[in-house]
Amino acid sequence: MIGLLLYNRKGAPLVVGLSIVAIGLTLWHQSKYGSEKVKVQIIDFRPNDIEKYEKCDKAFRPDSVAMSQSGYNIPVIPYGALDRFTVLTMVFNRLQSYRDVIQHYICMPFVDRLVLLWANQEVDPPTRESVNVSCSEKLFVHRLKSAALTRRFANFPEIQTDAVFNVDDDKLVPAGDLQRAFKVWKKYPWGIVGYENRCCTGTAPNLTYGTDRKSWSYRLILTSAAFLHREYLRLFDEKCPAEVRADIDRNKNCEDILMNFLVREHCKCSGVFYVGSGHIRLPQKIKYSGNLCSRPDHYTHRTGCVRKFLNLYSKTVNFTASKCLYV
């Protein structure tokens, strides 16, 4: 597998919108600001050369012994013939766009089924008949007893595959990008593989949630569009501290940050795999009047969560940053 880390003349990384016009170490980055030359660092990731990984992720290696004794059946070796995954999405109040989400994913040949978690407590969930889409036999609707955000991470019986693509109800990922990320996840099934990352600036334990444009490193993979093993859903449900669960459900925030910490604690490694920004688009009928991340205190609250979890898992989690791009 070849990993590309792309930098512009100022040293900032570029990972999307690339157009290769020459063979060698010179590429052109095309964006709304025009095109410019970029330097390319090529990392040849070979299974037998673990040092290659650790050059860009010092905590890459999972602890296979600890994982095997954990009680959770999450492998540390790549999957072979696995060819399907479950799409898991939760619907709160976007009642006009969820049909677009179903229509987009459900008939993809590598989607085993789409599990729709219905969190709206005032409107009845749809049925296969009412949705009226092709491949409706792959649709499974699970009505939740509450709108608790932590219920997006639970091992529901409708999930029959090890691979789960957890996606928000406002993100449509193209089939090609899904296949690419799924291929990466099959190589690293102990981690979170996704299209959106976040870092934390400053010095632990007083880190600030956000992005690190200077070093292009990341510590978190957002689960708004990410692959993970279904056993992590059970692990989250069983190991989420009651006080933390109450805070997440009350503020409707930070469940994804906690999942990153739990993955790190389980594998004793970084557990984060960034595949580059996919060509994610919005449903046609999307409305953002109630978007959670648009709240004025969103980033402040997430900074608080990072610091709280750093303290809570200070003895069991290595919160090191990664600079790897997996393609």
Side-chain angles (χ1 to χ4, degrees):
M1 182 176 70
I2 300 297
L4 297 181
L5 299 181
L6 309 178
Y7 301 88
N8 65 12
R9 289 170 293 181
K10 296 181 180 180
L14 304 167
V15 294
V16 295
L18 297 174
S19 177
I20 299 176
V21 296
I23 298 176
L25 295 181
T26 301
L27 301 180
W28 289 88
H29 168 67
Q30 185 68 37
S31 71
K32 62 181 180 180
Y33 303 108
S35 60
E36 62 176 329
K37 283 185 179 181
V38 299
K39 294 185 300 181
V40 180
Q41 177 186 347
I42 299 179
I43 304 173
D44 185 6
F45 292 115
R46 297 176 182 174
N48 296 326
D49 193 356
I50 196 70
E51 292 181 359
K52 296 283 188 178
Y53 294 93
E54 294 180 341
K55 284 185 177 180
C56 60
D57 187 347
K58 297 183 183 301
F60 170 82
R61 287 196 243 194
D63 187 332
S64 58
V65 175
M67 290 179 63
S68 65
Q69 297 173 351
S70 68
Y72 297 94
N73 188 24
I74 300 173
V76 296
I77 58 175
Y79 276 96
L82 190 69
D83 59 356
R84 291 192 172 204
F85 57 85
T86 299
V87 174
L88 182 66
T89 188
M90 177 181 274
V91 175
F92 286 98
N93 297 318
R94 295 189 181 120
L95 304 181
Q96 303 302 317
S97 61
Y98 73 86
R99 294 174 186 270
D100 291 340
V101 174
I102 295 173
Q103 183 74 52
H104 177 77
Y105 292 109
I106 199 165
C107 285
M108 292 181 182
F110 38 79
V111 171
D112 180 71
R113 54 180 60 181
L114 189 151
V115 178
L116 188 73
L117 304 178
W118 192 262
N120 191 295
Q121 301 299 297
E122 299 179 357
V123 178
D124 289 336
T127 62
R128 289 176 176 174
E129 293 73 21
S130 66
V131 173
N132 191 27
V133 296
S134 300
C135 310
S136 60
E137 70 280 359
K138 294 164 66 174
L139 174 64
F140 292 80
V141 180
H142 188 107
R143 185 169 194 170
L144 300 175
K145 296 180 180 180
S146 73
L149 187 58
T150 51
R151 293 304 291 161
R152 74 179 298 173
F153 294 137
N155 192 16
F156 296 100
E158 293 88 348
I159 301 173
Q160 297 293 305
T161 60
D162 285 349
V164 177
F165 180 62
N166 199 294
V167 63
D168 283 358
D169 61 350
D170 63 344
K171 296 183 183 297
L172 304 181
V173 182
D177 284 334
L178 268 179
Q179 286 182 301
R180 176 168 56 92
F182 184 38
K183 182 178 179 180
V184 172
W185 180 85
K186 287 193 292 183
K187 292 183 178 181
Y188 317 111
W190 67 85
I192 303 176
V193 176
Y195 309 94
E196 299 175 288
N197 65 48
R198 294 292 184 270
C199 193
C200 299
T201 56
T203 304
N206 297 315
L207 294 176
T208 299
Y209 173 86
T211 56
D212 187 353
R213 301 298 185 190
K214 185 176 181 180
S215 67
W216 193 78
S217 61
Y218 61 93
R219 301 173 192 257
L220 302 165
I221 293 295
L222 301 188
T223 58
S224 54
F227 282 92
L228 46 75
H229 198 284
R230 68 170 169 177
E231 281 283 85
Y232 277 129
L233 303 178
R234 181 167 71 91
L235 186 151
F236 183 98
D237 205 29
E238 294 175 354
K239 291 196 172 185
C240 178
E243 180 182 347
V244 174
R245 183 185 296 273
D247 182 75
I248 290 173
D249 290 338
R250 180 172 56 253
N251 294 287
K252 295 188 181 301
N253 208 335
C254 297
E255 85 291 349
D256 54 341
I257 298 177
L258 179 61
M259 176 61 86
N260 276 260
F261 272 82
L262 291 176
V263 168
R264 284 176 179 264
E265 182 183 50
H266 178 75
C267 70
K268 310 300 181 188
C269 62
S270 66
V272 289
F273 300 91
Y274 177 55
V275 294
S277 299
H279 299 85
I280 301 174
R281 63 183 179 86
L282 303 177
Q284 294 181 356
K285 299 177 181 179
I286 194 71
K287 294 182 179 180
Y288 268 110
S289 58
N291 193 20
L292 296 177
C293 66
S294 65
R295 296 174 295 183
D297 64 341
H298 178 72
Y299 286 89
T300 300
H301 188 79
R302 288 174 78 78
T303 292
C305 288
V306 168
R307 294 178 181 181
K308 179 189 298 184
F309 299 159
L310 277 172
N311 180 62
L312 184 63
Y313 297 98
S314 60
K315 297 181 179 180
T316 58
V317 168
N318 182 347
F319 200 53
T320 185
S322 172
K323 293 185 178 181
C324 297
L325 172 64
Y326 297 87
V327 295

